[in-house]
C-alpha cells in the first residue's frame, strides 16, 4: 500500500506559548501538520478528513489553530525534507518514515508527548517498530497486512481449494494454467513495490530481511532457497503470466485481478474494493508457507512524528491524543480500508459486523512483521530491492548472486559507505 497499503509517518508541530507584554493570557498557538493523501481523487482526499478533524478539535480548544497541508505520496516525503533542510520543519508530519529525523535528534520522544493511555493503546508490534534504541519516536498512523487473494470462479471451475502451502499453491497454479488462466499466480517484482512482494515470500520461507539481532540478512540460506523455489517452480514453469515478474508492478497485477485475469496474488485491503467494483468474486486466506500457513505475514505502517524545533510539546501531545482517540482512528481506517493502529479501535472493528471483510487482515496483525523502518538505511536498501530483485527469477538470473549483491549494498548503506 505497499500497496499496499502499500506498499510507510512523521509529526511535527508549530506553536507559541507563554505570555507577552506583561499579559497573563497565553498567545494563540498554531500547529502545522504536513500529511500524506490516502485518497485516489479529490472526492476522497485526506484533506477533507484532516480539515474536519482540525475543525472539531479547534472548537473544543479555543486559542489553538491546526493547519493541515496534504500532499500526494509522490511528493510528501520530499516536501517534509525540504522544510527540514530549510530550517522550517512543520510541527507535525505524517509520512512514510521517521528514522532519519530521529537519528538527527530532530524529534520529540513519544513519551514526552502522549498521555500514558494513548501510548499504551498502540498495537504493540507497531509501537515497537517506531523505536530507535528502545526509545519510541515514530507513532504508527495507518497499517495493513497481507492475505492471499484468489478468484473464486476460476478456482471453482478448476475444482480447486485455496492453498495452504507452497506445494499446493504451485499445484493450483498449474491447474489454472491448464485452463488458460492468464496469470495463475501474479508475482509483481517490478520496481513499484517489489520490496513488499519480496518480504512476503521471505517470511513465508521462514526468514526475512534481517536476522535475530536486526542485521541485514538478505542472502541467508532460507532466503536463497525461497527465491530458488520461486524461479524453478513458478516462473520457469510459466505459472506467473505473460509479463516477466521484474516488469510486473503491483498496481498492474491488482488491475489484472480486478479484470478476472489472475488466479491468485498477495494483496492488501484496498484490493477488495477494486475487485468488488468490477464484479470479481474473491476469497482471502493467510499467505501460504513452505509446509503450511506462513509463520508471519508482512505488516506495513505509515508514521506520525513531532519535530522539536518549534516547541510546544504540551499542545502537540494534546492534539495527538485527540488524533489517536478510538473514534478518529476508526473513522480514518474506514475511509481508506486500512487497519487501526490502536488496540481499542482494533477491538471495536473486530466486534463490528460491518467490518467482517477486514477480519482476516486484523487476525494477521498480531503476527505480522514490518519493514526494518528503524534503520536509516532502509530507504536506500528498499530502493535497491525494487530495482534488482526481479532479476533473481529472470531466465539468466541467479537468486544467490542477486541476493548477495543486495546484501552487500545493504551492508554498505547500513555502515554509511
Amino acid at each position: 500500500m505497499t500497496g499496499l497499503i502499500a506498499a510507510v509517518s512523521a509529526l511535527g508541530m508549530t506553536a507559541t506559548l507563554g505570555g507577552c507584554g506583561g499579559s497573563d493570557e497565553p498567545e494563540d498557538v498554531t500547529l502545522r501538520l504536513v500529511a500524506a493523501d490516502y485518497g485516489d481523487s479529490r472526492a476522497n482526499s485526506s484533506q477533507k478528513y484532516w480539515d474536519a478533524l482540525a475543525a472539531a478539535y479547534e472548537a473544543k480548544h479555543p486559542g489553538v489553530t491546526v493547519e493541515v497541508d496534504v500532499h500526494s505520496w509522490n511528493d510528501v516525503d520530499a516536501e517534509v525534507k525540504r522544510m527540514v533542510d530549510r530550517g522550517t520543519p512543520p510541527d507535525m508530519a505524517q509520512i512514510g518514515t521517521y528514522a532519519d529525523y530521529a537519528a538527527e535528534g530532530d524529534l520529540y520522544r513519544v513519551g514526552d508527548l502522549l498521555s500514558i493511555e494513548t501510548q499504551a493503546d498502540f498495537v504493540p508490534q507497531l509501537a515497537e517498530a517506531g523505536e530507535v534504541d528502545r526509545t519510541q519516536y515514530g507513532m504508527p498512523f495507518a497499517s495493513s497486512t497481507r492475505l492471499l487473494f484468489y478468484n473464486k470462479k476460476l478456482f471453482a471451475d478448476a475444482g480447486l481449494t485455496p492453498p495452504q502451502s507452497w506445494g499446493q499453491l504451485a499445484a493450483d497454479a498449474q491447474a489454472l494454467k491448464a485452463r488458460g488462466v492468464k496469470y495463475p499466480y501474479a508475482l509483481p517484482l517490478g520496481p513499484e513495490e517489489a520490496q513488499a512482494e519480496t518480504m512476503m515470500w521471505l517470511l513465508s520461507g521462514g526468514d526475512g530481511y534481517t536476522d535475530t539481532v536486526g542485521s541485514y540478512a538478505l542472502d541467508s540460506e532460507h532466503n536463497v532457497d525461497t527465491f530458488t523455489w520461486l524461479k524453478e517452480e513458478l516462473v520457469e514453469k510459466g505459472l506467473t503470466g505473460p509479463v516477466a515478474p521484474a516488469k510486473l508492478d503491483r498496481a498492474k497485477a491488482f488491475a489484472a485481478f480486478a479484470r478476472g485475469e489472475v488466479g491468485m496474488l498477495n494483496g492488501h485491503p484496498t484490493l477488495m474494493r477494486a475487485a468488488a467494483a468490477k464484479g470479481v468474486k474473491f476469497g482471502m486466506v493467510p499467505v501460504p508457507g513452505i509446509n503450511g500457513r506462513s509463520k508471519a505475514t508482512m505488516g506495513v505502517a505509515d508514521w506520525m512524528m513531532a519535530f522539536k524545533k518549534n516547541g510546544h510539546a504540551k499542545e502537540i501531545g494534546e492534539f495527538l491524543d485527540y488524533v489517536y482517540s478510538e473514534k478518529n482512528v476508526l473513522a480514518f481506517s474506514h475511509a481508506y480500508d486500512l487497519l487501526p493502529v490502536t488496540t481499542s479501535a482494533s477491538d471495536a472493528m473486530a466486534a463490528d459486523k460491518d467490518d467482517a471483510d477486514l477480519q482476516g487482515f486484523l487476525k494477521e496483525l498480531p503476527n505480522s512483521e514490518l519493514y526494518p523502518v528503524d534503520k536509516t538505511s532502509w530507504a536506500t536498501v528498499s530502493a535497491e530491492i525494487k530495482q534488482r530483485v526481479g532479476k533473481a527469477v529472470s531466465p539468466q538470473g541467479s537468486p544467490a548472486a542477486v541476493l548477495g549483491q543486495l546484501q552487500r549494498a545493504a551492508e554498505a548503506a547500513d555502515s554509511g559507505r
Side-chain angles (χ1 to χ4, degrees):
M1 22 319 62
T2 67
L4 227 182
I5 215 130
V8 288
S9 17
L11 176 52
M13 299 185 170
T14 308
T16 320
L17 262 188
C20 64
S23 172
D24 292 331
E25 293 296 322
E27 289 187 4
D28 288 348
V29 172
T30 297
L31 305 177
R32 295 183 174 85
L33 165 65
V34 174
D37 194 351
Y38 289 79
D40 54 14
S41 67
R42 184 180 296 273
N44 69 344
S45 170
S46 298
Q47 189 73 57
K48 291 187 175 182
Y49 171 84
W50 284 113
D51 287 349
L53 185 147
Y57 184 79
E58 290 168 356
K60 296 180 179 180
H61 297 80
V64 177
T65 300
V66 181
E67 297 180 354
V68 185
D69 191 12
V70 172
H71 295 264
S72 76
W73 273 109
N74 292 332
D75 303 322
V76 68
D77 289 285
E79 175 62 21
V80 172
K81 185 177 186 303
R82 282 193 292 270
M83 296 175 75
V84 172
D85 289 347
R86 289 198 305 263
T88 58
D91 297 300
M92 300 173 283
Q94 182 271 300
I95 54 176
T97 185
Y98 68 87
D100 285 348
Y101 301 116
E104 292 297 322
D106 294 337
L107 304 181
Y108 278 113
R109 296 179 299 180
V110 174
D112 293 335
L113 299 172
L114 302 182
S115 68
I116 293 174
E117 292 78 11
T118 301
Q119 289 182 70
D121 198 25
F122 284 127
V123 173
Q125 299 93 306
L126 303 181
E128 290 171 9
E131 295 179 355
V132 176
D133 295 330
R134 299 187 179 184
T135 298
Q136 187 180 358
Y137 296 94
M139 290 160 273
F141 181 73
S143 69
S144 70
T145 56
R146 300 294 192 267
L147 294 174
L148 181 77
F149 282 66
Y150 66 96
N151 183 306
K152 285 188 172 181
K153 182 179 186 305
L154 296 178
F155 266 63
D157 290 347
L160 302 174
T161 57
Q164 297 181 356
S165 68
W166 287 3
Q168 292 170 347
L169 185 148
D172 285 354
Q174 192 68 60
L176 292 168
K177 179 187 178 184
R179 296 184 64 85
V181 174
K182 189 172 183 179
Y183 294 90
Y185 177 84
L187 182 65
L189 294 176
E192 178 196 0
E193 204 181 35
Q195 85 286 358
E197 185 74 10
T198 296
M199 184 169 176
M200 283 182 272
W201 277 100
L202 298 186
L203 289 172
S204 72
D207 219 329
Y209 283 135
T210 57
D211 59 22
T212 55
V213 296
S215 299
Y216 285 114
L218 280 80
D219 61 348
S220 72
E221 182 178 354
H222 281 313
N223 290 345
V224 172
D225 287 347
T226 294
F227 264 79
T228 299
W229 187 90
L230 282 174
K231 177 179 168 63
E232 295 178 353
E233 300 300 324
L234 293 186
V235 180
E236 290 181 351
K237 292 184 178 180
L239 303 181
T240 55
V243 180
K247 295 183 179 180
L248 181 64
D249 283 336
R250 188 268 310 162
K252 292 179 180 178
F254 278 19
F257 186 85
R259 293 193 300 268
E261 298 173 353
V262 176
M264 301 171 279
L265 84 171
N266 293 326
H268 52 65
T270 57
L271 181 56
M272 296 188 301
R273 183 180 297 183
K278 297 290 186 177
V280 172
K281 302 297 183 184
F282 59 89
M284 301 173 293
V285 295
V287 174
I290 298 177
N291 298 310
R293 63 174 293 176
S294 177
K295 68 178 182 68
T297 190
M298 184 183 73
V300 175
D302 299 323
W303 300 96
M304 182 75 81
M305 60 189 173
F307 289 91
K308 295 190 296 186
K309 182 165 185 176
N310 300 305
H312 304 291
K314 177 177 180 293
E315 287 76 15
I316 292 173
E318 290 174 350
F319 177 69
L320 289 179
D321 282 340
Y322 182 74
V323 168
Y324 284 105
S325 67
E326 180 182 317
K327 177 186 73 172
N328 288 326
V329 171
L330 278 172
F332 191 86
S333 300
H334 285 142
Y336 299 106
D337 291 327
L338 294 164
L339 301 184
V341 297
T342 61
T343 300
S344 61
S346 295
D347 289 345
M349 181 176 281
D352 191 339
K353 293 180 180 179
D354 291 338
D355 290 321
D357 53 355
L358 289 170
Q359 297 307 309
F361 295 99
L362 276 173
K363 289 178 181 178
E364 293 298 304
L365 192 57
N367 295 318
S368 64
E369 293 189 19
L370 279 70
Y371 298 129
V373 291
D374 59 322
K375 290 178 169 291
T376 59
S377 58
W378 170 241
T380 299
V381 174
S382 176
E384 291 283 346
I385 293 169
K386 291 178 183 180
Q387 294 301 320
R388 297 192 196 187
V389 77
K391 298 175 183 177
V393 297
S394 65
Q396 287 75 43
S398 164
V402 171
L403 292 177
Q405 292 167 0
L406 287 170
Q407 175 65 18
R408 290 189 290 276
E411 290 172 350
D414 211 27
S415 65
R417 297 196 302 270

